[in-house]
Amino acid sequence: MPLVLSHLPRRLAALAHATSTTRCHSWNLSPVSASQQRQRSRGFHSSNGESKMTASKYQISERGAPNSTDYRVFFKNENGQAISPLHDIPLYANDARTVYNMVVEVPRWTNAKMEISLGEGLNPIKQDVKKGKLRFVANCFPHHGYIWNYGAFPQTWENPDHLDANTSCKGDNDPIDVLEIGSRVARRGDVLQVKILGTIALIDEGETDWKVITISVNDPLADQVNDINDVETVFPGLLKASVEWFKIYKIPDGKPENQFAFNGEAKDAAFAIKTVEETHRFWQQLVNKEVENNGISCLNTTVDGSPYLVANDAANEVFAKSSDGGNPEPLSETLDKWHYITLK
């Protein structure tokens, strides 16, 4: 029976489909228009907490032409001074250390692979580049773009010289990744206040790449989810879909299926919190120059005692010298294509 590509509600049936071989085939489809893609993927404001946390005190400033290799999203504090989202936004959002700040790099349903630039001063968000072209993740049916608000915890670092006892793999030299599963589609550069629910451990080309599952404390369902088992109850199918997403999202680029530690089983909140605390300690070693910086710019304006600490004027100068040009590229055909993938 042929696939009915126009019936999007039927796409969920593909989750249950499997055969004995791994196949990848593609069809052109436009579930989200190019204009909608641009509107959803470009976040120009800080987050608005509505009930349990106050509005974010951080703001963003764009530099360079959107959809170009010069495009950057810089962060500023409430006084308009340039800061690093990696080093100057605290990991913990409350004194009890039960709520965390999350920097949103990629809003849900968008494809542009945006990330905190580790090697640049003040670590702005930029789009990943592959072979000189801006990188977009493929739409692997039934998923369109990223299926959560995706980002990172500030003041964390997965040490590439540390062998993780749980995964038997070293870290990937990045801040720890965060999936926010609440109902709101965030905006690029939002700083969300979230609570940790659990984590899954992707093994990416032999490196440990933790994916911490969270929910905004301002989400209407936040009170109903406090641990990983609650996720399946309140968001049935999301954990399975998340593991599937990470398994297959690189296959359209000709790469093999991704692997997971623990057979893809999600670990609980206590395990995840311990993992985040460990990566926070690694970051402290990094920013205090107790270990090699591994190509990461540790320029900051707030970390007392850090040899990389600079005055506000110096940070503002870094921002002022950033590129404000760039030649926009045509929108990628990836935005309008489905890839149908069957796992073994």
Side-chain angles (χ1 to χ4, degrees), residues 71-88:
Y71 178 71
R72 298 291 186 275
V73 178
F74 283 87
F75 285 71
K76 295 185 177 183
N77 63 16
E78 57 191 340
N79 297 318
Q81 296 165 337
I83 62 170
S84 162
L86 178 59
H87 305 301
D88 293 318

Side-chain angles (χ1 to χ4, degrees), residues 43-94:
F44 304 143
H45 307 281
S46 57
S47 60
N48 292 318
E50 295 178 355
S51 57
K52 301 178 184 177
M53 298 291 287
T54 58
S56 172
K57 61 182 180 180
Y58 303 103
Q59 52 188 297
I60 64 171
S61 183
E62 296 178 291
R63 299 283 286 180
N67 208 51
S68 79
T69 55
D70 288 290
Y71 178 71
R72 298 291 186 275
V73 178
F74 283 87
F75 285 71
K76 295 185 177 183
N77 63 16
E78 57 191 340
N79 297 318
Q81 296 165 337
I83 62 170
S84 162
L86 178 59
H87 305 301
D88 293 318
I89 296 176
L91 170 61
Y92 299 103
N94 64 348

Side-chain angles (χ1 to χ4, degrees), residues 33 53 66 98 104 110 265:
S33 69
M53 298 291 287
T98 56
V104 176
T110 66
E265 176 189 352

Side-chain angles (χ1 to χ4, degrees), residues 16 35 54 68 73 82 93 98 116 130-131 139 176 183-184 214 232 261-263 281:
S35 61
T54 58
S68 79
V73 178
T98 56
I116 292 173
K130 182 179 180 181
K131 296 180 179 179
N139 299 313
I176 201 165
S183 58
R184 174 176 171 262
T214 70
E232 181 59 28
F262 320 117
N263 295 317
R281 290 193 296 271

Side-chain angles (χ1 to χ4, degrees), residues 11-12 31-34 36-42 104-113 136-140 142-150 180-188 238 241-242 245 334-336 338:
R11 64 188 186 175
L12 295 179
V32 178
S33 69
Q36 288 174 318
Q37 178 73 245
R38 287 191 293 269
Q39 292 169 2
R40 288 183 178 182
S41 66
R42 294 177 60 192
V104 176
E105 298 164 310
V106 187
R108 182 188 289 118
W109 311 137
T110 66
N111 301 73
K113 193 176 188 306
F136 297 83
V137 299
N139 299 313
C140 295
H143 315 298
H144 190 279
Y146 288 72
I147 63 174
W148 345 256
N149 295 312
Y150 187 84
E180 194 279 318
I181 65 173
S183 58
R184 174 176 171 262
V185 177
R187 292 167 292 193
R188 184 185 304 153
L238 180 58
S242 298
W245 192 96
T334 301
L335 303 180
D336 295 330
W338 282 129

Side-chain angles (χ1 to χ4, degrees), residues 282-303:
F282 292 151
W283 168 82
Q284 290 174 323
Q285 295 171 354
L286 177 72
V287 79
N288 287 309
K289 211 173 183 178
E290 296 173 13
V291 295
E292 293 296 323
N293 65 6
N294 286 277
I296 298 174
S297 172
C298 295
L299 191 74
N300 70 86
T301 64
T302 59
V303 184

Side-chain angles (χ1 to χ4, degrees), residues 15 31 51 72 85 117 158 165 172 184 209 217 241 258 278 292 321 325:
L15 283 174
S51 57
R72 298 291 186 275
S117 177
E158 296 186 72
D172 68 352
R184 174 176 171 262
D209 190 4
V217 296
N258 273 328
E278 182 178 59
E292 293 296 323
K321 289 182 177 179

Side-chain angles (χ1 to χ4, degrees), residues 150-228:
Y150 187 84
F153 277 144
Q155 298 188 342
T156 62
W157 178 53
E158 296 186 72
N159 187 345
D161 295 321
H162 172 74
L163 186 67
D164 191 283
N166 295 293
T167 65
S168 299
C169 293
K170 294 182 178 181
D172 68 352
N173 200 40
D174 285 331
I176 201 165
D177 293 324
V178 185
L179 319 178
E180 194 279 318
I181 65 173
S183 58
R184 174 176 171 262
V185 177
R187 292 167 292 193
R188 184 185 304 153
D190 276 357
V191 180
L192 304 182
Q193 286 69 57
V194 303
K195 61 179 176 179
I196 291 175
L197 307 174
T199 187
I200 50 181
L202 177 66
I203 305 301
D204 190 358
E205 299 182 4
E207 297 175 331
T208 303
D209 190 4
W210 294 104
K211 309 296 182 183
V212 182
I213 301 161
T214 70
I215 190 169
S216 168
V217 296
N218 296 312
D219 191 86
L221 297 177
D223 289 341
Q224 299 181 39
V225 280
N226 297 292
D227 215 324
I228 199 65

